[in-house]
mmCIF file of all heavy atoms in Angstrom:
data_model
loop_
_atom_site.group_PDB
_atom_site.id
_atom_site.type_symbol
_atom_site.label_atom_id
_atom_site.label_comp_id
_atom_site.label_asym_id
_atom_site.label_seq_id
_atom_site.Cartn_x
_atom_site.Cartn_y
_atom_site.Cartn_z
ATOM 1 N N CYS A 371 17.226 46.525 37.132
ATOM 2 C CA CYS A 371 17.709 45.437 36.270
ATOM 3 C C CYS A 371 18.315 45.969 34.972
ATOM 4 O O CYS A 371 18.127 45.407 33.888
ATOM 5 C CB CYS A 371 16.592 44.438 35.959
ATOM 6 S SG CYS A 371 15.956 43.597 37.414
ATOM 7 N N GLU A 372 19.062 47.055 35.080
ATOM 8 C CA GLU A 372 19.750 47.640 33.932
ATOM 9 C C GLU A 372 21.073 46.911 33.726
ATOM 10 O O GLU A 372 21.881 46.824 34.639
ATOM 11 C CB GLU A 372 19.992 49.129 34.187
ATOM 12 C CG GLU A 372 20.640 49.860 33.030
ATOM 13 C CD GLU A 372 20.946 51.311 33.377
ATOM 14 O OE1 GLU A 372 21.272 51.588 34.553
ATOM 15 O OE2 GLU A 372 20.878 52.159 32.478
ATOM 16 N N ILE A 373 21.303 46.386 32.521
ATOM 17 C CA ILE A 373 22.521 45.623 32.266
ATOM 18 C C ILE A 373 23.481 46.350 31.322
ATOM 19 O O ILE A 373 24.629 45.935 31.171
ATOM 20 C CB ILE A 373 22.207 44.229 31.688
ATOM 21 C CG1 ILE A 373 21.411 44.345 30.387
ATOM 22 C CG2 ILE A 373 21.489 43.369 32.715
ATOM 23 C CD1 ILE A 373 21.259 43.035 29.649
ATOM 24 N N PHE A 374 23.036 47.439 30.683
ATOM 25 C CA PHE A 374 23.896 48.197 29.783
ATOM 26 C C PHE A 374 23.253 49.562 29.600
ATOM 27 O O PHE A 374 22.017 49.696 29.691
ATOM 28 C CB PHE A 374 24.032 47.484 28.422
ATOM 29 C CG PHE A 374 25.407 47.566 27.813
ATOM 30 C CD1 PHE A 374 26.452 46.827 28.332
ATOM 31 C CD2 PHE A 374 25.666 48.379 26.717
ATOM 32 C CE1 PHE A 374 27.725 46.888 27.778
ATOM 33 C CE2 PHE A 374 26.927 48.438 26.150
ATOM 34 C CZ PHE A 374 27.961 47.693 26.676
ATOM 35 N N ARG A 375 24.096 50.577 29.364
ATOM 36 C CA ARG A 375 23.536 51.909 29.129
ATOM 37 C C ARG A 375 24.356 52.640 28.081
ATOM 38 O O ARG A 375 25.572 52.744 28.195
ATOM 39 C CB ARG A 375 23.488 52.733 30.403
ATOM 40 C CG ARG A 375 22.681 54.048 30.247
ATOM 41 C CD ARG A 375 22.875 54.969 31.429
ATOM 42 N NE ARG A 375 22.526 54.325 32.670
ATOM 43 C CZ ARG A 375 22.897 54.782 33.866
ATOM 44 N NH1 ARG A 375 23.648 55.869 33.954
ATOM 45 N NH2 ARG A 375 22.558 54.139 34.966
ATOM 46 N N PHE A 376 23.652 53.101 27.044
ATOM 47 C CA PHE A 376 24.261 53.889 25.977
ATOM 48 C C PHE A 376 23.929 55.370 26.160
ATOM 49 O O PHE A 376 22.907 55.713 26.758
ATOM 50 C CB PHE A 376 23.743 53.435 24.602
ATOM 51 C CG PHE A 376 24.144 52.053 24.216
ATOM 52 C CD1 PHE A 376 23.279 50.979 24.378
ATOM 53 C CD2 PHE A 376 25.394 51.802 23.671
ATOM 54 C CE1 PHE A 376 23.645 49.693 24.015
ATOM 55 C CE2 PHE A 376 25.772 50.517 23.302
ATOM 56 C CZ PHE A 376 24.898 49.470 23.471
ATOM 57 N N TYR A 377 24.786 56.205 25.604
ATOM 58 C CA TYR A 377 24.525 57.643 25.533
ATOM 59 C C TYR A 377 24.641 58.045 24.069
ATOM 60 O O TYR A 377 25.733 58.103 23.516
ATOM 61 C CB TYR A 377 25.518 58.419 26.401
ATOM 62 C CG TYR A 377 25.260 58.277 27.876
ATOM 63 C CD1 TYR A 377 25.671 57.139 28.563
ATOM 64 C CD2 TYR A 377 24.572 59.253 28.592
ATOM 65 C CE1 TYR A 377 25.422 56.989 29.915
ATOM 66 C CE2 TYR A 377 24.322 59.116 29.957
ATOM 67 C CZ TYR A 377 24.747 57.979 30.605
ATOM 68 O OH TYR A 377 24.495 57.823 31.948
ATOM 69 N N LYS A 378 23.495 58.285 23.444
ATOM 70 C CA LYS A 378 23.447 58.585 22.021
ATOM 71 C C LYS A 378 23.670 60.079 21.779
ATOM 72 O O LYS A 378 23.009 60.910 22.403
ATOM 73 C CB LYS A 378 22.094 58.185 21.428
ATOM 74 C CG LYS A 378 21.830 56.697 21.378
ATOM 75 C CD LYS A 378 20.438 56.395 20.833
ATOM 76 C CE LYS A 378 20.211 57.030 19.496
ATOM 77 N NZ LYS A 378 18.937 56.617 18.880
ATOM 78 N N LEU A 379 24.595 60.398 20.860
ATOM 79 C CA LEU A 379 24.813 61.782 20.450
ATOM 80 C C LEU A 379 23.939 62.062 19.236
ATOM 81 O O LEU A 379 24.191 61.522 18.150
ATOM 82 C CB LEU A 379 26.283 62.029 20.116
ATOM 83 C CG LEU A 379 27.328 61.661 21.175
ATOM 84 C CD1 LEU A 379 28.715 62.102 20.719
ATOM 85 C CD2 LEU A 379 26.988 62.281 22.518
ATOM 86 N N ILE A 380 22.918 62.876 19.407
ATOM 87 C CA ILE A 380 21.965 63.169 18.337
ATOM 88 C C ILE A 380 22.237 64.591 17.859
ATOM 89 O O ILE A 380 21.808 65.576 18.481
ATOM 90 C CB ILE A 380 20.513 63.003 18.833
ATOM 91 C CG1 ILE A 380 20.310 61.591 19.397
ATOM 92 C CG2 ILE A 380 19.536 63.273 17.711
ATOM 93 C CD1 ILE A 380 18.988 61.379 20.097
#
Side-chain angles (χ1 to χ4, degrees):
C371 297
E372 183 184 34
I373 58 171
F374 218 73
R375 190 191 304 163
F376 294 99
Y377 287 79
K378 292 177 55 173
L379 306 185
I380 304 171

